Amino acid sequence: LKSRLEVNVSKEEKTSSGKLVLQVMNEAASSVSLDISYLTQSASWTPFYELRAESTSAPIDMMYKAKVSQNSGIDWKKVKLTLSSGMPNQSSYAPELNTWFLSQAHPFASTTKEGRPNANFIQTLQGQTPGLEVTTDKMVVRESRTTTKSMSNHTTINENIMNISFDIDLPYDILSNGKQHSVSLKEIKLPATYRHYSVPKLEQEAFLLAELNDYSKYNLLKGEANIIFEGMYIGKTYINPSQTEDTLKLSMGRDKKISIKREKVAEKSGSKFLSSYKEQTFTYDIIIRNNKKEAAVLTVKDQYPVSTDKEIETELLQSDGAKVDKESGELTWELKLKPGETKKLRLGYRVKHPKNSIIANL
């Protein structure tokens, strides 16, 4: 038996060895066929995508893929995979709220005086918060996430009430070495609307966004995606279909053909003292030029400060037609730029505060 379990290194790739042990009972000796199924935590898969677009007037060609790995100790040879978005060992208990009591007593504090996690706090999280993994030595609390996968022309998609599964009709070899194996599943054409987006205060560049409507019908799962635009590799983005918005926005990278500059207007900015107060004025110009041969739709965002301190007053002086959210101080411009067109936006605001106070983040 030991010789049968040994791996011949000279003939095949060495993997970790493993075995299944079964106890079979039968009234009489006979030759039978057995179908064996088992659960292992040493196998996993994650979805990933490849996004290709030739222009802003063409749909996105999405290659839906999966990365499959396993370290169960048994090589999978010529297997037909079924990839499911469900997690068999995840808690199925629905959470319940207990009465929330406030107290100054410390036995139930989340940490001890030395900064270590309190044992009672750990037990409460583990016992009453399904789907959370708690590491007691570092007090790391994170949500357990289900892993998911992709689809192909040889793939059948089954939409169940609780999850989605993908039955792949092509056989694969998945060795027990923990290495990721790429499984191509399905190519999808995604009709997309393109627009540019920029926040010059943070980065003076324009980002190309592809907006997808009715994206739920494509059974997309959370995963990383490679972007190839106009035949060139642009970089990576992340697809998150779990959002609550009606439109899924995919970042297709930076568009160097749209120039953006944000600069302070010195003659319109400055400080002055009024009795016991100091008044500061800030003015910025945002200059945008479309160097492309086609028109571009661009969303530009900026902001002015808001105050929750009654001694600090802020006032928006100029917004050049921006949509203003007074609660957050966010300004949004929706622009349509012709080829070769340049536009200038001006933002101005005033801050008034006691002259002896220092506003650290102004």
Side-chain angles (χ1 to χ4, degrees):
L1 290 176
K2 287 183 180 180
S3 65
R4 291 182 182 179
L5 290 174
E6 289 178 357
V7 178
N8 189 339
V9 180
S10 62
K11 291 185 178 179
E12 60 179 285
E13 182 180 349
K14 185 176 180 179
T15 63
S16 57
S17 60
K19 59 182 178 180
L20 287 173
V21 179
L22 297 92
Q23 184 181 38
V24 181
M25 300 180 66
N26 196 23
E27 293 180 355
S30 59
S31 178
V32 297
S33 297
L34 297 178
D35 290 329
I36 302 170
S37 63
Y38 59 95
L39 218 60
T40 176
Q41 295 186 8
S42 300
S44 64
W45 65 280
T46 54
F48 76 106
Y49 305 87
E50 189 175 279
L51 306 177
R52 291 179 177 271
E54 294 303 322
S55 69
T56 54
S57 59
I60 297 175
D61 288 326
M62 171 184 282
M63 178 59 75
Y64 207 155
K65 296 184 177 182
K67 292 179 181 178
V68 183
S69 63
Q70 63 104 354
N71 197 24
S72 65
I74 299 174
D75 290 340
W76 299 349
K77 297 285 189 176
K78 304 297 181 186
V79 296
K80 292 185 178 181
L81 299 170
T82 295
L83 306 176
S84 172
S85 63
M87 181 176 283
N89 59 348
Q90 190 175 32
S91 172
S92 298
Y93 291 101
E96 294 182 4
L97 286 174
N98 294 322
T99 306
W100 186 0
F101 293 105
L102 295 182
S103 172
Q104 295 188 38
H106 299 292
F108 204 68
S110 62
T111 57
T112 63
K113 289 189 294 183
E114 295 77 13
R116 295 185 59 80
N118 183 283
N120 293 331
F121 183 69
I122 295 293
Q123 291 174 1
T124 301
L125 281 175
Q126 290 175 329
Q128 299 183 12
T129 316
L132 290 183
E133 177 184 330
V134 182
T135 306
T136 56
D137 59 341
K138 294 183 180 179
M139 191 52 193
V140 177
V141 181
R142 59 180 181 271
E143 183 181 0
S144 301
R145 298 178 183 270
T146 58
T147 51
T148 38
K149 225 37 168 212
S150 40
M151 39 190 224
S152 148
N153 295 329
H154 305 281
T155 302
T156 302
I157 308 166
N158 299 307
E159 296 187 56
N160 303 314
I161 296 176
M162 306 293 287
N163 55 53
I164 301 170
S165 63
F166 309 100
D167 297 332
I168 305 167
D169 198 32
L170 294 177
Y172 281 88
D173 289 347
I174 311 293
L175 300 182
S176 178
N177 54 14
K179 294 182 179 179
Q180 290 186 332
H181 298 260
S182 177
V183 177
S184 295
L185 299 174
K186 186 164 187 165
E187 188 172 354
I188 310 172
K189 282 196 177 295
L190 302 175
T193 303
Y194 295 88
R195 66 167 51 243
H196 290 81
Y197 175 86
S198 179
V199 185
K201 180 182 178 181
L202 303 179
E203 288 198 58
Q204 298 186 39
E205 292 195 73
F207 292 80
L208 179 64
L209 300 181
E211 298 181 345
L212 307 178
N213 295 318
D214 197 20
Y215 57 90
S216 59
K217 67 181 180 182
Y218 301 113
N219 296 304
L220 303 179
L221 301 169
K222 292 182 182 179
E224 198 173 59
N226 291 330
I227 305 170
I228 296 94
F229 191 75
E230 294 180 336
M232 295 183 61
Y233 174 74
I234 302 298
K236 293 182 181 293
T237 188
Y238 190 80
I239 295 177
N240 181 16
S242 300
Q243 62 179 29
T244 56
E245 297 179 6
D246 295 333
T247 303
L248 178 63
K249 297 177 181 179
L250 304 178
S251 177
M252 302 296 289
R254 303 165 188 259
D255 193 336
K256 302 293 185 180
K257 293 182 180 180
I258 295 182
S259 302
I260 299 177
K261 183 168 65 173
R262 184 182 190 265
E263 55 188 9
K264 192 173 184 179
V265 183
E267 61 271 18
K268 294 287 185 178
S269 303
S271 303
K272 60 181 180 180
F273 293 94
L274 303 171
S275 181
S276 60
Y277 282 88
K278 181 179 180 180
E279 189 176 272
Q280 293 177 267
T281 303
F282 301 86
T283 306
Y284 294 92
D285 278 343
I286 302 172
I287 303 167
I288 306 162
R289 178 174 174 81
N290 181 16
N291 298 310
K292 303 165 72 70
K293 296 180 180 179
E294 63 271 2
V297 178
L298 175 65
T299 299
V300 180
K301 287 184 177 290
D302 212 306
Q303 63 182 164
Y304 71 99
V306 294
S307 173
T308 56
D309 189 331
K310 63 181 181 180
E311 291 190 333
I312 301 175
E313 299 178 7
T314 63
E315 180 185 1
L316 180 64
L317 301 176
Q318 187 171 355
S319 60
D320 273 9
K323 180 180 178 182
V324 181
D325 186 333
K326 294 183 179 180
E327 291 187 2
S328 65
E330 187 175 281
L331 290 85
T332 304
W333 291 271
E334 299 290 350
L335 306 177
K336 292 184 179 180
L337 298 172
K338 299 176 182 178
E341 183 180 4
T342 301
K343 281 193 177 182
K344 183 171 73 172
L345 307 172
R346 177 162 288 187
L347 162 67
Y349 56 89
R350 180 187 296 126
V351 179
K352 182 181 176 182
H353 59 89
K355 65 180 181 181
N356 295 326
S357 65
I358 298 176
I359 312 300
N361 57 341
L362 183 59

